[in-house]
């Protein structure tokens, strides 16, 4: 990713940090509204996933400057989500819920910032799919 886009993501994320508890709650509510099928996959681990969301997002954003680290971490998330029954077909819903949360908690976020988030989340989703595919191959 271009450094300017990473900077836009970082700046908006810093603005979201004071609302992290609210952001996590809003994200999960929005995600389950967009994709109710995830509720069954997440029921047993929802509390843990809620606790880990802010940390995982911070680590992903920090990793945008190091493509290999981003790829490894995103693959790990794809593998872990896959073990919980969440596959690539749900990644668009996850991205949409994240973008919606950002727009509603940081209302004056620019379109350039939203585009940067879209690109960053899409990149992460691509690597998550690789991790998910490793799980699927391992199960065969």
């Amino acid at each position: 990713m271009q450094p300017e886009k990473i900077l836009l993501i970082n700046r908006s994320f810093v603005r979201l940090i004071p609302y992290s508890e609210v952001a996590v709650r809003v994200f999960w509510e929005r995600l389950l509204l967009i994709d109710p099928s995830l509720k069954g996959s997440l029921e047993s681990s929802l509390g843990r996933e809620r606790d880990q969301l802010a940390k995982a997002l911070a680590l992903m954003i920090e990793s945008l400057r190091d493509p290999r680290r981003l790829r490894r971490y995103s693959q790990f998330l794809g593998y872990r989500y896959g073990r919980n029954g969440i596959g690539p077909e749900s990644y668009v819903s996850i991205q949409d819920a994240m973008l919606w949360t950002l727009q509603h908690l940081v209302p004056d976020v620019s379109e350039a910032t939203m585009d940067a988030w879209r690109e960053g989340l899409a990149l992460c989703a691509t690597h998550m799919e690789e991790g998910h595919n490793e799980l699927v191959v391992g199960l065969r």
Side-chain angles (χ1 to χ4, degrees):
M1 281 191 73
Q2 297 172 344
E4 301 82 24
K5 291 182 179 185
I6 294 170
L7 184 60
L8 289 172
I9 291 171
N10 279 316
R11 285 183 179 161
S12 59
F13 184 67
V14 166
R15 292 179 61 204
L16 197 57
I17 290 173
Y19 311 104
S20 62
E21 285 185 32
V22 172
V24 168
R25 182 179 48 77
V26 167
F27 168 81
W28 285 108
E29 287 173 0
R30 183 65 182 180
L31 178 60
L32 295 176
L33 181 69
I34 292 171
D35 192 347
S37 70
L38 290 174
K39 188 172 185 174
S41 300
L42 291 170
E43 247 174 346
S44 64
S45 64
L46 190 55
R48 183 185 49 168
E49 293 296 336
R50 281 186 177 163
D51 293 341
Q52 294 180 358
L53 176 64
K55 294 174 194 169
L57 191 56
L59 184 56
M60 288 176 78
I61 290 169
E62 181 183 309
S63 298
L64 288 172
R65 297 183 191 283
D66 181 350
R68 284 184 296 197
R69 183 176 180 201
L70 177 67
R71 184 178 193 156
R72 283 193 309 268
Y73 185 65
S74 298
Q75 287 173 333
F76 164 75
L77 287 177
Y79 183 88
R80 191 177 91 200
Y81 285 172
R83 290 180 55 102
N84 286 332
I86 301 169
E89 65 281 356
S90 297
Y91 298 166
V92 171
S93 298
I94 294 168
Q95 291 173 46
D96 289 347
M98 186 65 233
L99 293 170
W100 189 91
T101 301
L102 181 66
Q103 280 184 309
H104 285 81
L105 294 181
V106 186
D108 60 340
V109 68
S110 71
E111 193 56 39
T113 298
M114 293 303 292
D115 286 343
W117 273 93
R118 283 183 197 97
E119 183 178 329
L121 291 170
L123 180 61
C124 292
T126 297
H127 297 320
M128 287 173 66
E129 189 167 351
E130 293 167 0
H132 181 267
N133 290 341
E134 286 179 26
L135 172 67
V136 171
V137 168
L139 294 175
R140 289 185 188 161

